[in-house]
Amino acid sequence: MSYNHEHLSLGFQKLRVVPQKYIKKYGKCTKDLDLTSNNIREVQFLMDFSMLRSLILDHNPIESHVKFPLLPYLQTLWVNHTKISNLSVFIAMLTKSCTDLRYLSMMYNEAAPNFFNGGSPAEYKDYRLYVISQLPCLQYLDYEQVTKDERAEAESIYRKPKVKRKKTKLKKGTSQNGERTENTENKKKEVCLDFNFL
């Protein structure tokens, strides 16, 4: 373990979670956290590191359905050499938990096909475009910078345009589902009975 200028390093410790003694002492002031090569599967303990801006989780058995707490200041996330296999599930979680993410590295994961793990150029491109389309602040993905052309292409493929519903004027005597209705004024007419003959 080492701590220096808001950087906490707990790599290669065979940890499943960060020990409470470190959370209490460094949680509120740590901005850079290195947890490389541990046995971490769940990361809910990160809620005690609310000021994190950089997180390294390389070489941990983290899977696609892992749940990150809200980390609004996190800008850099490395999850290389983990067990993420479902890209859409993992990225959907990041969009909710890491809203300012700018640097993401997912190399050597099944969900991130590239040259290093046998993925084709077409698979790598599709992977990049999908991730870029979902993370609007992203500047770097793996080892490459996100370009303006990539973002434009990503949004044209994966972003669904918002369809504005047109307001239509209803014809007099017509309901929203197209059925005819009686004039309300006619409904006001009441049948009066004369009981004077009694």
Side-chain angles (χ1 to χ4, degrees):
M1 190 281 294
S2 66
Y3 182 83
N4 185 27
H5 299 295
E6 301 176 338
H7 177 88
L8 176 61
S9 180
L10 292 169
F12 304 94
Q13 302 291 316
K14 298 181 180 180
L15 300 174
R16 292 182 181 274
V17 296
V18 174
Q20 280 296 317
K21 61 180 180 179
Y22 297 139
I23 291 177
K24 290 180 180 180
K25 189 172 183 179
Y26 304 114
K28 293 182 180 180
C29 53
T30 296
K31 293 185 177 180
D32 305 303
L33 179 59
D34 185 353
L35 295 170
T36 300
S37 293
N38 281 291
N39 294 320
I40 294 171
R41 294 178 181 272
E42 302 296 333
V43 294
Q44 285 301 313
F45 61 84
L46 291 174
M47 69 175 63
D48 295 311
F49 291 87
S50 58
M51 300 303 294
L52 274 187
R53 64 187 180 193
S54 175
L55 174 62
I56 301 176
L57 288 166
D58 294 351
H59 294 278
N60 278 282
I62 290 172
E63 298 183 348
S64 310
H65 290 81
V66 64
K67 301 295 183 183
F68 279 55
L70 181 62
L71 300 170
Y73 303 108
L74 191 70
Q75 297 182 357
T76 300
L77 174 63
W78 288 7
V79 285
N80 303 300
H81 290 277
T82 56
K83 297 184 180 297
I84 299 169
S85 58
N86 190 317
L87 184 64
S88 60
V89 169
F90 182 71
I91 296 300
M93 179 276 301
L94 290 185
T95 62
K96 298 176 182 179
S97 301
C98 310
T99 54
D100 195 32
L101 198 60
R102 304 180 189 187
Y103 305 91
L104 173 64
S105 187
M106 294 182 58
M107 293 190 295
Y108 297 98
N109 277 289
E110 183 182 340
N114 56 39
F115 174 80
F116 300 106
N117 61 2
S120 68
E123 288 174 325
Y124 178 60
K125 180 180 179 180
D126 188 55
Y127 148 73
R128 281 186 64 85
L129 293 179
Y130 178 75
V131 175
I132 292 168
S133 73
Q134 303 302 304
L135 300 172
C137 297
L138 200 65
Q139 298 176 10
Y140 274 84
L141 177 57
D142 297 333
Y143 53 87
E144 288 190 80
Q145 186 174 8
V146 176
T147 66
K148 290 182 180 179
D149 290 342
E150 271 188 309
R151 184 162 294 284
E153 185 177 1
E155 292 180 354
S156 69
I157 295 174
Y158 288 106
R159 283 286 188 183
K160 293 182 180 179
K162 293 182 180 180
V163 179
K164 293 184 179 180
R165 296 183 64 183
K166 293 183 179 179
K167 293 183 179 179
T168 56
K169 293 183 179 179
L170 299 177
K171 293 182 180 180
K172 187 176 182 180
T174 306
S175 65
Q176 289 185 352
N177 58 10
E179 297 178 354
R180 291 190 60 78
T181 58
E182 296 182 13
N183 193 314
T184 54
E185 293 182 0
N186 292 335
K187 290 184 177 181
K188 293 180 180 179
K189 294 181 179 179
E190 298 177 354
V191 178
C192 298
L193 298 177
D194 186 2
F195 294 99
N196 293 331
F197 68 94
L198 298 175

